[in-house]
Amino acid sequence: EVQLVQSGAEVKKPGESLKISCKGSGYSFTSYWIGWVRQMPGKGLEWMGIIYPGDSDTRYSPSFQGQVTISADKSISTAYLQWSSLKASDTAMYYCARPQLRYFPDAFDIWGQGTMVTVSS
Amino acid sequence: EIVLTQSPGTLSLSPGERATLSCRASQSVSSSYLAWYQQKPGQAPRLLIYGASSRATGIPDRFSGSGSGTDFTLTISRLEPEDFAVYYCQQYGSSPEYTFGQGTKLEIK
């Protein structure tokens, strides 16, 4: 079964760092892009960025460039989303998602279960 | 960056009725790289339509997509109780670059 399994919920303080993960299984991890999507409480979906684990080619939405870092470790089929200094406005659900097609940044047909990040003093 | 505007913001209909949701792009979406997703509370989004009009695996045929260029439509021919949810359009492409619309909430009248 193809699936993405994300790390568990996090509660952090402003200024702290954080790295959340998304582990792929059941498919060739290095052949598909993996994207990250933010959903703030009660709000819509926002595309943050995407990485191709095969060569670590990474692209960011202009809204998130410089705010987060996306990476991947293909040896353990895991993608990451990290912050160096969290803000309260980073409180949101974060989803990883995989496109339908190998090699091409297609529509996302496989989604992780989401990681809730809460930033509060 | 392409901006997607969905309308209406909320649509109130009854089971059995037909739903028509709109997604308008600020510039032409290349190769009809337009997708639709359904999201229910507490769940991850689910892909319904890709390539503007192709149904994803396992999606009932009451869901259909149409359109090209800057205007796209998701139609649900006969609403079932489980169809009441939030729907998002998304453009994607080879850059790669993605954008979501702000969503349409389909609620029971």
Side-chain angles (χ1 to χ4, degrees):
Chain A
E1 179 192 7
V2 175
Q3 57 179 348
L4 298 173
V5 178
Q6 297 185 231
S7 49
E10 302 275 359
V11 179
K12 305 294 267 186
K13 290 181 166 37
E16 292 186 330
S17 62
L18 176 64
K19 191 173 189 178
I20 63 174
S21 66
C22 169
K23 183 173 176 62
S25 62
Y27 71 98
S28 173
F29 184 75
T30 54
S31 298
Y32 291 80
W33 294 83
I34 288 191
W36 287 94
V37 175
R38 183 176 79 174
Q39 188 166 39
M40 299 176 76
K43 303 299 183 183
L45 305 172
E46 300 173 270
W47 176 67
M48 303 176 71
I50 196 165
I51 187 166
Y52 187 74
D55 62 6
S56 295
D57 185 7
T58 307
R59 311 296 174 87
Y60 293 92
S61 161
S63 300
F64 292 93
Q65 179 81 48
Q67 307 304 308
V68 296
T69 301
I70 294 170
S71 61
D73 184 341
K74 58 188 179 183
S75 69
I76 54 171
S77 301
T78 301
Y80 300 97
L81 177 65
Q82 69 179 88
W83 295 259
S84 59
S85 181
L86 287 160
K87 303 184 283 287
S89 56
D90 293 318
T91 294
M93 180 71 81
Y94 293 89
Y95 294 101
C96 62
R98 194 208 76 171
Q100 295 186 105
L101 299 178
R102 280 177 183 254
Y103 315 123
F104 184 77
D106 195 27
F108 297 132
D109 70 331
I110 304 295
W111 290 73
Q113 82 277 20
T115 296
M116 184 67 208
V117 174
T118 303
V119 183
S120 174
S121 55
Chain B
E1 182 182 341
I2 295 178
V3 175
L4 299 179
T5 302
Q6 292 186 239
S7 61
T10 302
L11 186 57
S12 300
L13 293 170
S14 300
E17 290 193 295
R18 180 186 187 91
T20 303
L21 287 66
S22 174
C23 177
R24 178 162 289 177
S26 59
Q27 54 189 280
S28 184
V29 176
S30 61
S31 303
S32 293
Y33 289 147
L34 193 287
W36 290 93
Y37 297 83
Q38 176 193 68
Q39 189 180 32
K40 297 180 180 179
Q43 296 184 16
R46 177 172 72 144
L47 177 65
L48 300 175
I49 301 289
Y50 64 94
S53 60
S54 297
R55 270 188 302 277
T57 302
I59 301 304
D61 61 8
R62 65 180 182 273
F63 290 91
S64 63
S66 62
S68 64
T70 60
D71 289 296
F72 299 88
T73 301
L74 174 70
T75 302
I76 310 172
S77 60
R78 188 177 168 82
L79 286 165
E80 298 287 343
E82 62 268 27
D83 298 337
F84 292 92
V86 179
Y87 291 83
Y88 296 93
C89 60
Q90 178 205 46
Q91 70 86 25
Y92 55 95
S94 58
S95 306
E97 180 181 347
Y98 293 76
T99 311
F100 287 97
Q102 83 278 16
T104 289
K105 182 179 181 180
L106 179 55
E107 65 176 24
I108 299 177
K109 187 174 182 180

